[in-house]
């Protein structure tokens, strides 16, 4: 196991909600038809004409304290390279406890396999020398950053050191590793 | 205003979680009944070893493995990858109640069947020993069971309690589903299992004295169950925003009518009153109250499973 801690930083100021990340991921990972491992969330608040819009690209948060790994009865959901959360589909019985345990709604059953599917942080690329995830690669506004939190000089560490940011549902206590820049 | 749109198209999550259907409440109900039968019949052997038992009560421990098998078929049908079910038995995960449950279920078969065998009337055992004469060493196993009734009865009580509690803890460990996320669910499902287990036994032709004893302790179970439900609801109602939104489903929300009529009124309060009246007037308890208790126990599992899936962190709340 590497001593890296992979994380994703997403800039909500530059994201335009184009869904290229969704299509990029579906293409790279051959995600089942009508399913997606990532999605675009848009929230509009305020009173017309003073409206504020937040757009986020969301996916599995690869939590440090992941409830999906804890509840998995077969060890199919596990921590993989760089602290990512991975699924071994060969071990999955499709009991769906992890879908219930995930507060982020990141998991689904791949209908072609009958086993859990979700974002892998593209470890098949990262671990083989490709420095980017597929969603990051295709992002036309370059709003997605990926890197190692344990390296203080990495782009993600630098962004988190200098920009205001938040995580989703911090109260769920799962220590998510997706950070949204304000 | 606040307007949310999402491109997520996850049929298991959107618009509300619906991963578990009828199979899971059916299994949880049958598991509870089996837990009740194991604890009650096990205790009977421990506490009244010399008292003569009716034929029905002697044979009823066989219901444990039979009903459990039916429940496990439902559980298996729920799996999306059923032919990977054997993977449960390659590991034991301490953080996963489902993993403990898989092992508890496996241990229940020998414990319940050996006790059922030892408790069966002698002529039934003889007849089966004759029919199964070709099975090697069956007579020695039979002798062993008969000599070890006490430890077997104790094992049934312990495993029954483990089964009853785990079915509640299974749901209770999920922080993402506030309606389930309560430690009360374990004891609640255990007591509900004891009550429905007693009701199941009362469906058969027990001796009058046995009926009176079971019905008397069932009054205690129902009273404790009402208390635990009250504590569960109070705990949620005094919790955070997600917990309060979850419990509001029973107070004006979509599950209000079903919960208060089927679970509370029909399944708990009515049978409790009926049992009190039966005892006051020294009437031997019949089957109607037992049927009501079984309906209530099933409705409780059904409503908890479905209302729990309707509760969450995400749906009502802004994510920051």
């Amino acid at each position: 196991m590497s001593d890296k801690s992979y994380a994703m930083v997403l800039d909500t100021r530059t994201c335009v909600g184009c869904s290229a990340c969704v299509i990029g991921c579906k293409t790279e990972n051959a995600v089942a038809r009508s399913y997606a491992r990532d999605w675009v969330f848009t929230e509009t608040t305020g009173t017309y004409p003073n409206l504020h819009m937040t757009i986020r690209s969301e996916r599995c948060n690869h939590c440090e304290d992941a409830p999906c790994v804890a509840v998995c009865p077969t060890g199919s959901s596990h921590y993989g390279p760089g602290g990512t959360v991975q699924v071994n589909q060969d071990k999955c019985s499709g009991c769906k406890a992890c879908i219930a345990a995930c507060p982020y709604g990141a998991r689904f059953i791949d209908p072609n396999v009958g086993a859990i599917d979700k974002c892998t942080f593209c470890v098949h690329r990262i671990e083989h020398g490709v420095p980017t995830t597929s969603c990051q690669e295709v992002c036309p506004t370059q709003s997605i950053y990926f890197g190692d939190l344990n390296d203080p000089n990495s782009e993600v560490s630098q962004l988190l050191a200098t920009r205001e940011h938040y995580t989703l549902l911090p109260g769920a206590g799962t220590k998510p590793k997706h950070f949204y820049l304000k | 205003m606040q307007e949310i749109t999402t491109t997520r198209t996850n049929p298991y999550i959107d618009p509300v979680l619906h991963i578990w259907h009828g199979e899971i409440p059916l299994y949880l109900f049958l598991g509870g009944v089996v837990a009740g039968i194991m604890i009650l019949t096990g205790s009977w052997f421990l506490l009244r070893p010399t008292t003569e038992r009716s034929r029905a009560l002697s044979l009823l421990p066989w219901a444990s493995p039979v009903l459990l098998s039916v429940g496990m078929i439902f559980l298996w049908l729920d799996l999306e990858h059923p032919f990977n079910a054997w993977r449960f038995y390659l590991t034991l995960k301490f953080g996963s109640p489902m993993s403990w449950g898989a092992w508890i279920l496996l241990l229940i078969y020998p414990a319940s069947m050996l006790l059922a065998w030892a408790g069966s009337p002698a002529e039934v055992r003889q007849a089966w020993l004759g029919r199964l004469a070709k099975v090697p060493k069956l007579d020695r196993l039979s002798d062993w069971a008969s000599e070890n009734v006490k430890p077997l009865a104790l094992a049934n009580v312990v495993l029954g309690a483990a089964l009853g509690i785990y079915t509640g803890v299974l749901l209770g460990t999920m922080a993402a589903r506030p309606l389930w996320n309560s430690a009360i669910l374990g004891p609640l499902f255990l007591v509900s299992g004891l009550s429905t287990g007693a009701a199941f036994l009362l469906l058969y032709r027990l001796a009058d004295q046995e009926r009176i004893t079971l019905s008397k302790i069932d009054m205690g179970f129902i009273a404790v169950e009402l208390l635990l439900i009250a504590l569960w609801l109070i705990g949620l109602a005094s919790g955070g925003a997600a917990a309060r939104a979850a419990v509001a489903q029973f107070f004006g929300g979509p599950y209000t009518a079903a919960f208060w009529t089927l679970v509370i009124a029909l399944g708990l309060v009515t049978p409790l009153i009926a049992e009190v009246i039966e005892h006051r007037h020294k009437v031997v308890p019949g089957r109607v109250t037992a049927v009501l208790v079984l309906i209530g126990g099933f409705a409780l599992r059904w409503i908890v499973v479905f209302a729990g899936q309707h509760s969450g962190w995400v749906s009502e709340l802004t994510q920051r």
Side-chain angles (χ1 to χ4, degrees), chain A residues 5-6 60-72 77-80 82-86 98 101-104 107 118 149 167-179, chain B residues 95-96 173-176 313:
Chain A
S5 176
Y6 290 137
C60 168
N61 279 270
H62 293 271
C63 305
E64 244 179 273
D65 194 353
C68 53
V69 175
V71 299
C72 179
S77 282
H78 62 283
Y79 295 107
T84 57
V85 174
Q86 303 294 341
C98 56
C102 173
Y104 300 105
R107 294 171 158 253
K118 70 166 197 73
L149 285 182
T167 58
L168 299 182
L169 302 174
T174 60
K175 298 182 191 158
K177 287 202 288 183
H178 258 56
F179 301 89
Chain B
S96 166
T173 50
M174 304 205 181
W313 282 79

Side-chain angles (χ1 to χ4, degrees), chain A residues 123-159:
Chain A
V123 282
H124 64 286
R125 293 164 63 102
I126 305 298
E127 290 295 295
H128 292 92
V130 183
T132 56
T133 66
S134 61
C135 51
Q136 175 187 11
E137 177 99 27
V138 298
C139 180
T141 58
Q142 296 179 14
S143 302
I144 301 178
Y145 303 88
F146 178 87
D148 178 13
L149 285 182
N150 287 346
D151 172 7
N153 297 316
S154 70
E155 202 171 20
V156 288
S157 297
Q158 290 293 318
L159 281 166

Side-chain angles (χ1 to χ4, degrees), chain B residues 87-317:
Chain B
R87 289 279 186 181
F88 282 90
Y89 296 108
L90 293 186
T91 181
L92 174 61
K93 295 277 172 194
F94 289 104
S96 166
M98 210 182 265
S99 177
W100 324 335
W103 288 101
I104 292 168
L105 293 175
L106 200 65
L107 294 175
I108 283 176
Y109 277 97
S112 66
M113 288 171 83
L114 283 169
L115 185 67
W117 176 265
S120 295
E123 81 274 8
V124 173
R125 272 183 292 167
Q126 283 311 319
W128 277 101
L129 276 179
R131 256 172 258 175
L132 300 172
K134 283 185 182 157
V135 181
K137 297 196 178 155
L138 192 66
D139 47 343
R140 279 177 63 188
L141 190 66
S142 167
D143 292 343
W144 183 86
S146 307
E147 285 158 16
N148 290 286
V149 169
K150 226 172 180 181
L152 281 172
L154 192 64
N156 271 259
V157 173
V158 171
L159 286 169
L163 174 66
I165 292 172
Y166 119 81
T167 55
V169 173
L170 173 71
L171 301 176
T173 50
M174 304 205 181
R177 311 295 152 200
L179 189 78
W180 294 339
N181 192 211
S182 163
I184 301 271
L185 236 50
L188 173 60
F189 277 25
L190 172 65
V191 176
S192 170
L194 282 163
S195 179
T196 49
F200 180 81
L201 297 178
L202 282 168
L203 292 178
Y204 294 86
R205 289 175 63 181
L206 306 178
D208 285 356
Q209 196 49 48
E210 293 166 350
R211 303 192 79 84
I212 292 166
T213 307
L214 277 174
S215 161
K216 220 185 243 174
I217 51 177
D218 190 39
M219 286 195 286
F221 293 147
I222 294 179
V224 173
E225 196 177 338
L226 282 167
L227 183 72
L228 289 174
I229 288 177
L231 289 172
W232 175 49
L233 297 181
I234 290 169
L236 290 170
S238 55
R244 276 180 283 149
V247 81
Q249 296 185 95
F250 300 147
F251 295 92
Y255 290 93
T256 311
F259 180 73
W260 293 101
T261 56
L262 292 176
V263 179
I264 303 294
L266 201 67
L268 293 169
V269 174
T270 308
L272 180 60
I273 293 171
E275 285 171 344
V276 170
I277 293 173
E278 282 166 350
H279 284 284
R280 279 268 170 89
H281 295 273
K282 308 228 180 301
V283 182
V284 177
R287 293 189 173 91
V288 178
T289 46
V291 170
L292 288 179
V293 166
L294 289 168
I295 292 173
F298 181 61
L300 175 72
R301 306 304 195 290
W302 189 277
I303 290 169
V304 167
V305 166
F306 282 94
Q309 293 185 85
H310 277 245
S311 74
W313 282 79
V314 188
S315 53
E316 323 288 334
L317 306 168

Side-chain angles (χ1 to χ4, degrees), chain B residues 24-47:
Chain B
I24 297 299
L26 271 165
Y27 163 71
L28 294 178
F29 169 71
L30 289 169
V33 171
V34 170
I37 296 172
M38 290 177 72
I39 295 171
L40 290 168
T41 54
S43 308
W44 212 287
F45 279 97
L46 289 173
L47 301 173

